Amino acid sequence: MSLALRKSLAANAVQARVMTEQYNHLNAVFREGSSKDFQDMLTMFGANAARTPAEAYREFDLTSKIDMVPAGEYATLTRLLQKSRSINIGKEVFEYRQTSNMDQGQSSMSGQVGVDLDKVAEKYAGTVVPIHDKGFGRRWRALEAMRSDGYDALVDDAREARRALMGTLNTYLWDGNANLSLKGSKWLGIKNDPSVATATIAVDLSASATTPEEIRSEVARIRDILYITNNCTNQLRLGVSREILSNWERAFSTADGTFGTIASFVGQLRGITEIYEDSELVGNELALYWDDQEGFHPVVGMGMSSYAVPRTMPNSDHAFIMMTAVGFLAKTDYEDRKCALYAS
């Protein structure tokens, strides 16, 4: 049905007003509604757009297949980040005070032997809080060409930039960086920093030839380095390699009705609150630590954020910076007793 309106044909002002109302109603209801239907139709056509009509029979998956990641990727990092301490971005070094014990008091029958005044000794330790960043972007015309086919490459770019920056943090956590130093403070990584205890594993925890009893006894010996030697009697997390945890799926024993895996029996050791796998640990490696702001924790000056570089011209490329400021600190006491350990 068509509706033709010529206001010059109106007999009077009343009819002209009615004709105007009809015209406005036509635009508001019919034409705007059909415009949406038309756009929906174009969207439907665009969803199955092919390179040429000859290829229109092909279906295209709009979801990208990303690289698969190993089990336990960033497992220690993500656990520690939950116990982080936030500081101002302007603070490049984070320090804490270590205080000593006092000598024991004195005993007498009269209490008249005089008061022996004492005081604690103090010293300081700390870590740097470096900035970690990753840039990503696309040529403006390349991005517009992709968007014309319904594909926004910046979505995948942002995801992978975030993963890459997490990888940077993870590498810094485990290996540190001796070049990032200020006022004597630096972080050399879980595997090298002097604030982290080290141990040599006497048996191969990942080998099927190692008996369950040998495995449990060896883990207990390493646990006691922190729990007894260093007086770190807080709950400890035990991170192991994927090879170790796979081996610990074996039954501990099937004799005399004693059932359970090696992992379950190791987890019953005093002081161990969790056993998990971290892909950064390979073969016969493990990490043991107390994750708390009084123990081992990150220091965060800036959460992970994305920033768009201003585009000054219409043909400027699209560029972004993803950055974060994170340092790591394994606190020790005045006597240099440690709360984190790496063993291999």
Side-chain angles (χ1 to χ4, degrees), residues 32 47 61 128 184 227 245 256 263 305 323:
E32 288 187 5
D61 191 342
V128 291
Y227 202 82
L245 199 57
D256 302 324
S305 307
M323 58 193 304

Side-chain angles (χ1 to χ4, degrees), residues 45-190:
F45 289 158
N48 288 311
R51 293 178 177 84
T52 67
E55 297 176 342
Y57 63 89
R58 296 182 179 180
E59 180 60 271
F60 187 78
D61 191 342
L62 298 181
T63 303
S64 300
K65 172 63 177 176
I66 66 175
D67 284 346
M68 291 180 286
V69 300
E73 184 179 49
Y74 312 147
T76 301
L77 174 63
T78 52
R79 281 165 172 77
L80 290 173
L81 286 173
Q82 298 178 50
K83 304 297 178 69
S84 63
R85 179 188 296 270
S86 297
I87 64 171
N88 186 280
I89 185 59
K91 306 301 182 182
E92 300 178 69
V93 175
F94 179 79
E95 295 183 319
Y96 66 100
R97 181 185 300 109
Q98 302 163 320
T99 58
S100 68
N101 293 325
M102 286 187 181
D103 294 333
Q104 291 187 355
Q106 56 189 4
S107 305
S108 70
M109 294 302 295
S110 66
Q112 299 174 346
V113 294
V115 178
D116 184 15
L117 297 179
D118 200 355
K119 65 178 181 179
V120 299
E122 299 172 338
K123 61 181 180 180
Y124 295 86
T127 190
V128 291
V129 185
I131 292 177
H132 316 272
D133 58 44
K134 176 69 178 178
F136 64 97
R138 296 274 179 162
R139 288 177 52 247
W140 75 278
R141 291 198 70 184
L143 186 61
E144 293 303 320
M146 293 177 186
R147 285 175 173 172
S148 68
D149 290 332
Y151 170 54
D152 192 340
L154 289 178
V155 174
D156 288 335
D157 291 343
R159 181 193 63 248
E160 293 306 314
R162 185 175 295 105
R163 281 186 57 201
L165 193 52
M166 285 289 288
T168 301
L169 279 179
N170 198 55
T171 298
Y172 184 67
L173 167 64
W174 288 96
D175 300 326
N177 190 332
N179 296 322
L180 302 178
S181 176
L182 184 62
K183 304 296 184 181
S185 295
K186 55 188 172 183
W187 172 250
L188 300 179
I190 293 178

